[in-house]
Amino acid sequence: MTVLDASFTHRCGAADGPALKGVVKYRALPLSFAYSSEEGDWVGQGTSGTYRGATSLFSVSSWGVQTVFQVKGNRSSWSVMLMAPQGETLQAGRTYQAGSGADGLATLNFSGNGRACNGPEGEFTLHRLIKDENGRVTGLWVTFTQRCQGSTAESSGTVRYYA
């Protein structure tokens, strides 16, 4: 066996007896997404959520300079789109200031459940970025903070996709 990521529930004696619950991980890399949103934030609507590998579907796609992370679970769907500033490529270990098409700024767009910002602003830190031999993103760890244009309310989150 090369990788194991499992959760379990065990009951002794009866189906409604006390439950022993646990998680077993062996060489399993994380799949998770967590976000929180302040009251007045258009995208998150003042809510928060956490999604993990066992209960959600995760994907990362990349083409050219754009990388998109998506998670679906608990009747919700969220997306985080990242792009380096024009003429650059995303680099792990760097914090990017993000704006809507402004020179020298990266692009960040956190959206979900049919809501997205016009002119999102904020920042993201790319802690880890893993690419295959063809340059496609296969692992990603990023934290972000976003405000919709003209708002002071923020959304923030953490993406862990095999990194």
Side-chain angles (χ1 to χ4, degrees), residues 63-145:
W63 54 94
V65 296
Q66 184 173 328
T67 298
V68 178
F69 167 83
Q70 294 181 312
V71 61
K72 295 178 183 180
N74 300 329
R75 298 185 183 128
S76 293
S77 177
W78 300 97
S79 176
V80 179
M81 191 269 292
L82 308 169
M83 285 187 352
Q86 188 172 0
E88 298 182 32
T89 59
L90 291 173
Q91 301 293 317
R94 182 170 169 196
T95 298
Y96 292 89
Q97 296 303 309
S100 55
D103 288 341
L105 294 179
T107 301
L108 164 67
N109 194 342
F110 166 56
S111 60
N113 295 331
R115 293 180 301 276
C117 284
N118 285 329
E121 305 170 337
E123 70 176 32
F124 62 91
T125 300
L126 190 56
H127 301 279
R128 191 151 189 218
L129 182 66
I130 303 166
K131 295 181 180 183
D132 68 12
E133 62 276 356
N134 296 317
R136 289 184 302 243
V137 174
T138 58
L140 179 68
W141 173 20
V142 64
T143 53
F144 66 88
T145 302

Side-chain angles (χ1 to χ4, degrees), residues 30-36 48-53 56-58 69-72 76-80 110-112 142 144 155-161:
L31 285 170
S32 67
F33 172 69
Y35 77 95
S36 68
S48 62
T50 301
Y51 301 81
R52 301 220 189 287
S56 304
L57 299 174
F58 297 83
F69 167 83
Q70 294 181 312
V71 61
K72 295 178 183 180
S76 293
S77 177
W78 300 97
S79 176
V80 179
F110 166 56
S111 60
V142 64
F144 66 88
S155 292
S156 59
T158 301
V159 170
R160 295 292 300 256
Y161 184 84

